[in-house]
Amino acid sequence: MGGGRAQVNKAHKTRFASKASRHAHKIDKVRSGKPESSHRAAVKGARASRIQQSKAIRDKKRADLLKEKRSSKGSSGAPRVIVLVGLSSSANVGSLAKDLLTFAEGGDGKLRSSTVASPIYKLRTTVLQAPYGDLTSCMELAKVADLLAFVLPSNSLYSSDSSSPIDDFGSQCLSVFRAMGLPSTAVFIRDLPADNKSRQELKKAATSFLSAELPEDCKFYFADTKDDLHKFMWLFKEQHLSSPHWRNQRPYIMSEQVCIKPNDNTGLCTLLVSGYLRAHNLSVNQLVGDLCQKISYLSCPFPFLISFPSKRSMFQIVNTFVPDSSNQEPLLVENVPDPLAGEQTWPTEEDMEETNINNKQRKLVKRKLPRGTSEYQAAWIVDDTDDEDNNSDNDNQAGSGMVIDEQGHADLGSDGSDIDAVSHFTEKFDEETVGDTEMADEENLSKEQIEAEIKKIKEANAEDEEFPDEVETPLDVPAKKRFAKYRGLKSFRTSSWDPKESLPPEYARIFAFDNFTRTQKHVLAKIAELDGGTKDCALVGSYVRLYVTNIPSDIASKLCHPSRRIPVVVSGLLQHESKMSVLHFSIKKHDSYEAPIKSKEPLIFNVGFRQFTARPLFSSDNINCNKHKMERFLHHGRFSVASVYAPICFPPLPLIVLKNTDGEQPVIAAVGSLKSADPDRIILKKIVLTGYPQRVSKLKAIVRYMFHNPEDVKWFKASAMKCIFNSSIQQHDTVCMSLFKRAYPKWPEQLYQV
């Protein structure tokens, strides 16, 4: 009936399906153990996990922010520190500091301290002035600043004397602060005109001038009238302050009061530092400077009172913590070396048997040895594997000297004199040399003539090229003695070098880690545990007094001197941070410093809260190589690695390098950051010995003036006598030979100075 209009259904695809899929509807899904939609459930579970993880992160941030607000406000919070810095000599920082303190205190205008407790804003505030022209003091104050406020007078914005309101000292301070890590920043604009339009125009001009120098979240404030200060204080109370990450890793105290308790006829004293504890809880068993004798809880000297008392309330000791000798961190600075640690012990029977087996296996290998070589000497001679050299017999008969092994080492052997290598090498090429320039024999020239000829060749042939590692072979000292500690390397990148080989005596006094990164994680985990517990710990935000023992009396008197303009900062040390090791810093020369900085030159290193004297060794930073080339100077425009003997520190930490000048303030020489503490980092000093081809024949030549006597040629024959040039040699070419030795930094004569 339907004809061609009959319904045609789609063919069933069971013939393409598997047997398991055709009978899937007959299997109980609960019994099979497979959910109905496993992929959909997996996607849903992953999404739920991400949502839960994000919620946990938000809750943690919210809890940290609430904890910070509670600690910075109320009766248990430490004062917020405002450091005022003048960007030019015309900035009147003192008047602004007085206005801020007077307005926040709400008293009669008499300032009793640089810290006030405002009953109106319920906020403790400390206002400090950075002395203009003193870079060291400005740097120390910036380390403890919660708000770094730059003072900018309005007359400097339209002054015709300069194109920028920031002078040279202001620019130098900004660069140092950026290298250290900036906290929250603000700019105070002073001496503004009365009309609002001019004030807004000057604020726009200040923003355009300073926006490139300061962070994006930097705020600009007017700071002339009481209304301006009231607006700032209200916003400052609610502002979330950021600080450098390195400062939040260690507990520290900025002193409100410092005094001395002398000891009996020892030249030492106990330093009493009172102040608010910041960043973390501080354990009485933790190292602070030297040893912490005890920690006392004191009543807060800046309570929130409606009417400020006529006299500051006396300190009252609320509680005292005394260290436990069994749990106290030991004060270890240097390792005590064992003078017998390297002595050879009497061999055991197992050692003797193993030695006999090795000797039997070594005798099975037939080697060509020089005549008269004993078995003991033969054990130190490495087989020559250079099959391409047809004159291997002659080389072996010439005695041993500097030998390059398969791994790339060049070891020093005994001096031999069987065959004159120089005469043999000269006779070999006499018949092949064509058209060379004859010169007088070196033996017939005097010392002055040789030096003049070397200088003449260098000036003529190497005028446009610079070899920073090039050295001259001395005429009066044999080269094998002058360069006895150097060795040749087949490849700087792939040749092996044992980091434990021939270490200096200073390495017996330092400490090393098996895994520096893992140790740092454990140390930071202990600090987190202190924040969770209250046993024998001073709580963050509390007002405490530290009793730091074994301080020299002359240093303590300088810290307590009335003329001192900056507070004393005492920082708690993490575990192991009192011990000496080899530290490596990524360092760059500062743009304002023009004088050369030489390796192993005494410099002042500011690393976080610490300051010490070091004699760094500069080197390159090779990524794909475990060896690094030593640099004699710190060059402009690129980063190097500075290696020093110093107390252990854990990164991240900023580095500010200062250089002492005669009778003047230290100037900034370089900036950088801490990389790691690793005594096994190999730094190689490279020297290049140069010679000049005199008799040339295609790919072969006789090279002169690299050595000046036959004994030196035989000593360095493993490196110098097996050269194959990759192209034809010209008369104006220079032949170079590279030698290497491991270099170490210098131990500082005086580690700390005040």
Side-chain angles (χ1 to χ4, degrees), residues 391-495:
N391 297 321
S392 59
D393 296 339
N394 296 332
D395 292 338
N396 289 331
Q397 293 178 2
S400 60
M402 176 177 282
V403 181
I404 300 182
D405 61 8
E406 296 178 0
Q407 302 297 329
H409 286 303
D411 299 327
L412 303 181
S414 60
D415 189 10
S417 58
D418 294 338
I419 298 178
D420 192 345
V422 176
S423 59
H424 181 272
F425 187 76
T426 305
E427 292 173 359
K428 178 181 177 182
F429 290 104
D430 277 342
E431 298 176 356
E432 300 178 0
T433 304
V434 179
D436 57 349
T437 304
E438 295 291 342
M439 298 182 63
D441 292 336
E442 186 176 346
E443 293 78 2
N444 298 331
L445 298 178
S446 63
K447 180 179 178 180
E448 291 78 9
Q449 291 175 335
I450 293 176
E451 292 178 350
E453 193 153 355
I454 292 176
K455 183 178 179 181
K456 181 180 178 181
I457 294 175
K458 284 187 176 181
E459 291 176 353
N461 299 329
E463 183 178 359
D464 298 330
E465 295 181 1
E466 294 182 359
F467 295 97
D469 304 314
E470 182 178 343
V471 297
E472 294 185 1
T473 305
L475 297 175
D476 51 349
V477 179
K480 68 177 184 179
K481 292 183 179 180
R482 172 63 181 84
F483 308 118
K485 296 182 179 180
Y486 290 85
R487 63 175 59 168
L489 293 179
K490 288 184 177 180
S491 173
F492 186 84
R493 186 179 64 86
T494 60
S495 297

Side-chain angles (χ1 to χ4, degrees), residues 245-246 249-250 520 650-654 674:
H245 179 64
W246 63 268
Q249 288 186 338
R250 296 161 181 82
Q520 182 179 0
F650 293 100
L653 279 176
L674 176 64

Side-chain angles (χ1 to χ4, degrees), residues 59-116:
D59 292 342
K60 185 178 183 303
K61 288 183 178 180
R62 188 180 294 110
D64 293 342
L65 183 59
L66 185 61
K67 181 181 178 181
E68 180 187 349
K69 286 186 177 181
R70 288 174 177 174
S71 63
S72 61
K73 302 174 186 176
S75 59
S76 62
R80 290 191 166 191
V81 181
I82 302 175
V83 176
L84 302 178
V85 181
L87 293 177
S88 63
S89 58
S90 60
N92 192 351
V93 177
S95 63
L96 178 58
K98 183 178 179 180
D99 293 344
L100 279 173
L101 290 173
T102 304
F103 180 79
E105 182 183 8
D108 54 1
K110 286 187 177 181
L111 296 178
R112 300 168 180 84
S113 173
S114 60
T115 301
V116 296

Side-chain angles (χ1 to χ4, degrees), residues 597-751:
I597 303 177
K598 191 177 181 181
S599 280
K600 303 181 182 180
E601 184 178 0
L603 298 171
I604 301 174
F605 275 51
N606 280 270
V607 184
F609 287 118
R610 289 176 133 175
Q611 177 176 304
F612 52 85
T613 303
R615 304 180 67 180
L617 179 69
F618 302 126
S619 62
S620 60
D621 191 9
N622 299 329
I623 298 177
N624 298 324
C625 183
N626 62 347
K627 294 179 287 296
H628 310 272
K629 181 179 172 296
M630 189 197 100
E631 297 177 349
R632 291 174 173 83
F633 292 91
L634 184 62
H635 300 285
H636 273 290
R638 60 185 177 91
F639 279 92
S640 298
V641 176
S643 304
V644 298
Y645 290 112
I648 293 172
C649 302
F650 293 100
L653 279 176
L655 170 66
I656 306 296
V657 180
L658 301 178
K659 178 69 180 298
N660 274 327
T661 54
D662 297 335
E664 297 180 3
Q665 290 286 338
V667 296
I668 178 172
V671 295
S673 60
L674 176 64
K675 287 175 63 70
S676 64
D678 182 16
D680 291 339
R681 189 177 190 270
I682 300 175
I683 303 174
L684 299 183
K685 180 180 180 181
K686 177 183 177 181
I687 62 171
V688 177
L689 303 181
T690 57
Y692 306 98
Q694 301 298 324
R695 300 179 181 179
V696 179
S697 175
K698 298 181 180 179
L699 302 182
K700 301 177 182 179
I702 297 178
V703 179
R704 281 192 168 183
Y705 301 117
M706 183 177 290
F707 305 108
H708 305 304
N709 56 73
E711 288 77 13
D712 291 340
V713 176
K714 287 185 289 186
W715 181 266
F716 290 96
K717 70 175 183 179
S719 296
M721 300 289 288
K722 297 182 180 180
C723 301
I724 299 177
F725 301 102
N726 56 3
S727 61
S728 299
I729 306 172
Q730 305 296 327
Q731 290 289 340
H732 59 273
D733 289 336
T734 303
V735 180
C736 302
M737 183 179 70
S738 299
L739 300 176
F740 302 89
K741 76 168 182 178
R742 189 172 177 183
Y744 304 91
K746 283 284 187 179
W747 192 272
E749 291 85 0
Q750 182 182 1
L751 187 60

Side-chain angles (χ1 to χ4, degrees), residues 88 90 151-160 162-166 209:
S88 63
S90 60
V151 182
L152 185 67
S154 61
N155 54 8
S156 63
L157 295 172
Y158 49 81
S159 176
S160 59
S162 62
S163 59
S164 175
I166 307 176
F209 270 121

